[in-house]
């Protein structure tokens, strides 16, 4: 799986969660994950999570680290497993930094406040994942925590690159593991 940290700020509005967005914008073809920082504002019209639409819960963060992954040949349940693997990768790294992080499904919490948003969905050609990690918590529509504001992590790029490295290595290793066993 290819990875790329995007240095320029990108406002995540939800429309980026579409087939070939990574390829069209960053020339990474095939399974890939990218990360970028910027404001996050997903209006109900762009929401993929129907439950959030029904509950009238748009997403907003003044500053968020976003990960977008596109993976091919993956059905939706496997895509949700891969989404959860990304969440667990983030949790594991934060715990190595010394923070006590709680996971509930595809959400991470620090001191009872929401740190992440995440969704996996299926397009006609691929499975798509967006996971956002608040950098700053102020202005969020829910009780939130942030990498910088509450956890004191200043080098967001370094954190993002390490998450992508570990996640892509894990996915590649899972695929490799399936090639080295005989059927029974």
């Amino acid at each position: 799986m290819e990875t790329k940290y995007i240095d320029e700020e990108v406002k995540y509005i939800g429309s980026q969660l579409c087939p070939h967005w990574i390829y069209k914008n960053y020339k990474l073809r095939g399974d890939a994950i990218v990360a970028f920082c910027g404001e996050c504002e997903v209006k109900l019209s762009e929401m993929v999570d129907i439950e959030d639409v029904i509950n009238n819960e748009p997403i907003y963060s003044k500053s968020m680290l976003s990960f977008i992954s596109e993976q091919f040949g993956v059905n939706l349940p496997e895509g949700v497993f891969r989404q959860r693997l990304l969440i667990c990768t983030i949790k594991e790294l934060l715990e190595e930094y010394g923070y006590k992080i709680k996971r509930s499904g595809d959400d991470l919490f620090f001191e009872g406040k929401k740190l992440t948003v995440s969704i996996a969905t299926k397009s006609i050609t691929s499975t798509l994942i967006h996971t956002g990690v608040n950098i700053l918590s102020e202005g969020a529509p829910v009780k939130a925590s942030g990498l910088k504001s509450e956890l004191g992590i200043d080098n967001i790029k370094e954190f993002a690159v390490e998450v992508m490295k570990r996640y892509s290595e894990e996915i590649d290793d899972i695929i490799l593991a399936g090639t080295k066993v005989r059927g029974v």
Side-chain angles (χ1 to χ4, degrees):
M1 173 179 293
E2 293 198 65
T3 67
K4 181 177 180 65
Y5 182 83
I6 300 158
D7 285 308
E8 63 269 7
E9 268 199 22
V10 177
K11 180 177 181 179
Y12 182 74
I13 58 171
S15 62
Q16 297 98 326
L17 197 62
C18 67
H20 304 294
W21 181 81
I22 295 172
Y23 182 36
K24 288 178 195 173
N25 290 279
Y26 303 103
K27 307 211 179 358
L28 301 180
R29 186 169 45 186
D31 292 356
I33 185 170
V34 298
F36 54 86
C37 295
E39 184 180 13
C40 172
E41 184 175 22
V42 183
K43 295 182 185 332
L44 293 176
S45 60
E46 290 294 334
M47 297 289 285
V48 173
D49 190 328
I50 303 301
E51 188 173 341
D52 287 347
V53 174
I54 290 169
N55 293 332
N56 193 28
E57 297 175 342
I59 297 169
Y60 180 78
S61 178
K62 182 178 180 178
S63 182
M64 180 176 277
L65 167 61
S66 284
F67 297 94
I68 296 179
S69 181
E70 183 168 23
Q71 299 177 42
F72 296 86
V74 175
N75 63 32
L76 186 54
E78 184 180 344
V80 172
F81 282 125
R82 290 177 181 216
Q83 171 202 22
R84 300 284 173 98
L85 179 61
L86 177 57
I87 286 291
C88 289
T89 302
I90 294 166
K91 179 182 188 294
E92 185 177 84
L93 183 56
L94 288 172
E95 288 174 341
E96 287 178 22
Y97 279 43
Y99 301 104
K100 187 173 167 72
I101 304 296
K102 182 181 185 300
R103 181 178 72 87
S104 178
D106 60 12
D107 292 318
L108 296 178
F109 296 84
F110 177 68
E111 296 182 343
K113 296 182 270 179
K114 199 161 189 234
L115 182 62
T116 61
V117 296
S118 191
I119 194 71
T121 191
K122 184 83 172 122
S123 78
I124 195 163
T125 59
S126 60
T127 294
L128 300 157
I129 299 167
H130 171 258
T131 296
V133 187
N134 292 320
I135 296 171
L136 301 175
S137 58
E138 45 281 358
V142 298
K143 289 183 181 178
S145 57
L147 291 173
K148 190 174 277 193
S149 55
E150 279 70 29
L151 281 71
I153 297 173
D154 288 321
N155 196 332
I156 304 299
K157 179 178 180 177
E158 179 181 283
F159 177 80
V161 168
E162 184 63 21
V163 167
M164 290 188 297
K165 175 183 171 291
R166 290 179 184 203
Y167 179 72
S168 67
E169 287 173 353
E170 192 75 42
I171 293 292
D172 291 346
D173 193 51
I174 289 167
I175 292 168
L176 182 63
T179 68
K180 65 178 188 169
V181 296
R182 68 177 181 84
V184 294

